[in-house]
C-alpha cells in the first residue's frame, strides 16, 4: 500500500518545461507507460539533459528529474506531458513542445511503496497538502497543473524493503 511519508513546500524558479504532450487518444491500457518506455528505450531524455546549466540545478532542487506533467481543467481535454523542467530561456529542440512556468511554490509529497502502487496518488496528495494548510492553485486559464517527479536516487534505487519514492507535486499559493 502506498504511503505519503513527507510533505513540504518547495520554491522553484521560472522554468520552461520541454517535452512531448499527449492526450486521451494516446493512452494505452489507461495510462502512458507505453510512451515512457519509448522515451527510455530511445534515450530521448539525453537531448534534454544536455540543456541543463549548473546554475539552474543549484536553484531548483531535483530539477534534473524526469517528469510526468499533467494539466486538468473541467470540460477541456486532459494533457499528459513527458519531459523535464529546464531554465526559462532554453531554446526548444525540434520535435519537442514546451510550456513556460513562472517562479512558483510547489506542494511536494513523497509517496513510498512498490513501483506498482505509487502511481495515481495525485488526489491523495492534494488532500494531504490541503490538510497541511497549503492551497492548490490554478493557472490564469483556470487549469490545474501537477506532476510526478522521478527524482534520483529516491525513485530509482529501492530501499531495503524494495520500495521507492515518487514525488507528486502540485502548484500552491505562496
Amino acid at each position: 500500500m502506498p504511503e505519503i511519508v513527507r510533505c513540504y513546500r518547495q520554491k522553484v524558479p521560472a522554468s520552461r518545461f520541454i517535452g512531448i504532450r499527449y492526450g486521451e487518444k494516446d493512452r494505452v491500457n489507461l495510462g502512458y507507460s507505453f510512451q515512457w518506455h519509448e522515451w527510455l528505450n530511445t534515450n530521448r531524455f539525453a537531448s534534454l539533459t544536455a540543456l541543463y546549466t549548473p546554475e539552474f540545478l543549484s536553484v531548483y532542487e531535483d530539477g534534473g528529474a524526469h517528469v510526468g506533467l499533467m494539466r486538468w481543467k473541467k470540460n477541456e481535454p486532459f494533457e499528459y506531458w513527458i519531459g523535464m523542467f529546464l531554465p526559462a530561456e532554453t531554446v526548444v529542440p525540434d520535435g519537442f513542445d514546451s510550456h513556460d512556468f513562472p517562479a512558483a511554490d510547489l506542494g511536494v509529497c513523497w509517496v513510498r511503496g512498490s513501483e506498482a502502487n505509487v502511481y495515481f496518488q495525485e488526489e491523495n496528495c492534494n488532500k494531504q497538502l490541503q490538510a497541511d494548510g497549503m492551497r492548490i492553485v490554478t493557472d490564469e486559464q483556470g487549469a490545474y497543473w501537477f506532476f510526478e517527479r522521478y527524482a534520483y536516487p529516491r525513485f530509482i534505487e529501492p530501499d531495503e524493503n524494495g520500495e521507492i519514492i515518487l514525488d507528486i507535486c502540485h502548484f500552491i499559493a505562496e
Side-chain angles (χ1 to χ4, degrees):
M1 201 63 189
E3 176 186 13
I4 298 172
V5 296
R6 182 177 180 207
C7 288
Y8 62 97
R9 175 182 300 269
Q10 178 183 7
K11 291 196 173 293
V12 295
S15 61
R16 175 166 288 156
F17 187 86
I18 299 177
I20 296 178
R21 177 182 14 206
Y22 301 97
E24 292 295 340
K25 68 178 176 27
D26 299 305
R27 286 184 190 261
V28 177
N29 297 324
L30 304 176
Y32 298 94
S33 63
F34 176 84
Q35 288 81 4
W36 274 97
H37 288 290
E38 183 179 64
W39 272 72
L40 296 170
N41 291 336
T42 61
N43 203 21
R44 191 172 281 158
F45 282 107
S47 59
L48 299 181
T49 302
L51 302 174
Y52 277 109
T53 64
E55 297 80 21
F56 181 74
L57 293 176
S58 73
V59 296
Y60 197 143
E61 183 179 357
D62 296 317
H66 299 166
V67 171
L69 174 69
M70 292 162 264
R71 180 190 183 273
W72 181 86
K73 183 178 178 186
K74 188 174 180 176
N75 300 321
E76 289 189 9
F78 176 76
E79 295 178 16
Y80 185 86
W81 299 58
I82 298 175
M84 302 173 89
F85 286 99
L86 292 153
E89 67 282 352
T90 304
V91 175
V92 180
D94 289 341
F96 290 93
D97 303 310
S98 69
H99 185 83
D100 291 337
F101 288 93
D105 285 12
L106 300 176
V108 180
C109 289
W110 286 9
V111 180
R112 182 178 60 207
S114 68
E115 185 173 358
N117 68 18
V118 294
Y119 301 109
F120 305 108
Q121 298 300 311
E122 287 80 10
E123 184 62 28
N124 290 336
C125 291
N126 182 323
K127 290 176 183 174
Q128 184 62 55
L129 293 168
Q130 289 184 54
D132 288 354
M134 296 181 222
R135 186 172 55 86
I136 311 297
V137 295
T138 63
D139 66 10
E140 307 79 36
Q141 289 79 39
Y144 291 95
W145 290 87
F146 47 97
F147 57 93
E148 299 167 331
R149 182 169 62 194
Y150 305 91
Y152 179 84
R154 293 188 294 279
F155 182 78
I156 305 300
E157 297 176 2
D159 66 15
E160 64 278 357
N161 298 315
E163 295 181 323
I164 56 167
I165 293 176
L166 174 64
D167 299 11
I168 296 182
C169 308
H170 290 268
F171 288 88
I172 60 172
E174 288 186 40

